[in-house]
Amino acid sequence: DTAVSQTPKYLVTQMGNDKSIKCEQNLGHDTMYWYKQDSKKFLKIMFSYNNKELIINETVPNRFSPKSPDKAHLNLHINSLELGDSAVYFCASSTPRGSTDTQYFGPGTRLTVL
Amino acid sequence: DQQVKQNSPSLSVQEGRISILNCDYTNSMFDYFLWYKKYPAEGPTFLISISSIKDKNEDGRFTVFLNKSAKHLSLHIVPSQPGDSAVYFCAAYGTDSWGKLQFGAGTQVVVTP
């Protein structure tokens, strides 16, 4: 009954590889997000989709490409992985944008690039 | 540039006492503030929130206070329990920002018996 789930939980890969992280929410939310938590523990937003439409795209390298096949899923594909991509990536979802737009987070995916 | 700041990286408090976590922000366009709690190897869990039209919101042992003129908010946990030991993140956004949450760096709370 997990509200926001991510797979995989851990991902270890070599530099230069391409990898994907999947996210699914069963809360019926319209908006989904990807956040990155770096080594300094700051959580920073990367992307946001509302009803499969990209609405937030922060300054993220083009190697990162989100894809939303439907409003319950938001996947993150990363090309040509670099050492600096090592971080914990969190997916989140929320109700339609409004004054009580509380975001609910998944458990995170720890990506380690060797 | 960090728009949400939590200047205390850690806080140790005795069980049963009050925990007070502080958060400052710089962006006057923020109008919704949230506190999240995070255990190791888990995602942040929503704890409590407050709209800028209020100065206090209470939910059980948790109370959030907002001082807009000082651009400051605080989270009070009374009484503190061992299960409250976690990292607490302050977050904020403006309703015209499409839910773009800005997070503080977090405060590690340790509740000792």
Side-chain angles (χ1 to χ4, degrees):
Chain A
D1 281 35
T2 307
V4 182
S5 60
Q6 294 179 228
T7 54
K9 191 165 177 64
Y10 299 96
L11 185 53
V12 181
T13 188
Q14 299 286 335
M15 265 197 320
N17 284 349
D18 302 338
K19 290 293 178 186
S20 292
I21 306 172
K22 296 185 176 181
C23 178
E24 176 181 0
Q25 55 94 5
N26 62 7
L27 296 167
H29 290 166
D30 290 323
T31 308
M32 297 184 71
Y33 311 80
W34 277 109
Y35 286 84
K36 179 181 180 180
Q37 186 179 33
D38 59 24
S39 56
K40 294 183 180 177
K41 306 302 181 187
F42 286 111
L43 269 159
K44 293 189 177 176
I45 192 164
M46 300 172 68
F47 301 103
S48 172
Y49 270 74
N50 179 262
N51 275 321
K52 302 196 302 174
E53 181 185 348
L54 181 65
I55 54 172
I56 294 176
N57 186 351
E58 288 298 282
T59 309
V60 177
N62 291 339
R63 299 181 294 103
F64 289 78
S65 54
K67 286 198 170 40
S68 181
D70 55 61
K71 74 175 192 178
H73 296 84
L74 180 62
N75 303 324
L76 183 64
H77 189 75
I78 315 171
N79 288 328
S80 304
L81 278 156
E82 300 178 358
L83 293 176
D85 297 332
S86 296
V88 182
Y89 293 84
F90 290 99
C91 176
S93 72
S94 67
T95 53
R97 186 173 70 92
S99 61
T100 56
D101 200 3
T102 301
Q103 294 179 25
Y104 295 87
F105 284 78
T109 295
R110 181 174 292 278
L111 171 64
T112 303
V113 182
L114 304 175
Chain B
D1 61 331
Q2 279 297 111
Q3 299 182 45
V4 178
K5 297 177 184 177
Q6 294 176 256
N7 293 319
S8 297
S10 64
L11 172 70
S12 182
V13 65
Q14 215 167 9
E15 183 178 0
R17 306 285 264 240
I18 184 171
S19 294
I20 299 177
L21 290 80
N22 293 305
C23 177
D24 297 293
Y25 62 97
T26 58
N27 190 339
S28 57
M29 299 301 291
F30 288 151
D31 53 13
Y32 196 62
F33 305 88
L34 308 91
W35 285 94
Y36 283 84
K37 175 180 178 179
K38 185 182 180 307
Y39 292 117
E42 294 184 13
T45 302
F46 169 71
L47 196 56
I48 192 169
S49 62
I50 188 166
S51 163
S52 61
I53 62 173
K54 295 185 175 181
D55 54 18
K56 177 183 174 181
N57 189 26
E58 193 171 349
D59 184 0
R61 297 185 297 114
F62 303 92
T63 303
V64 56
F65 296 91
L66 175 63
N67 182 334
K68 281 179 294 187
S69 60
K71 293 192 177 69
H72 177 85
L73 62 155
S74 61
L75 174 69
H76 292 207
I77 307 174
V78 183
S80 299
Q81 300 174 353
D84 296 331
S85 296
V87 177
Y88 290 78
F89 289 98
C90 173
Y93 75 91
T95 48
D96 62 346
S97 67
W98 287 98
K100 182 179 164 183
L101 272 178
Q102 300 280 353
F103 279 87
T107 297
Q108 172 77 59
V109 172
V110 176
V111 180
T112 57

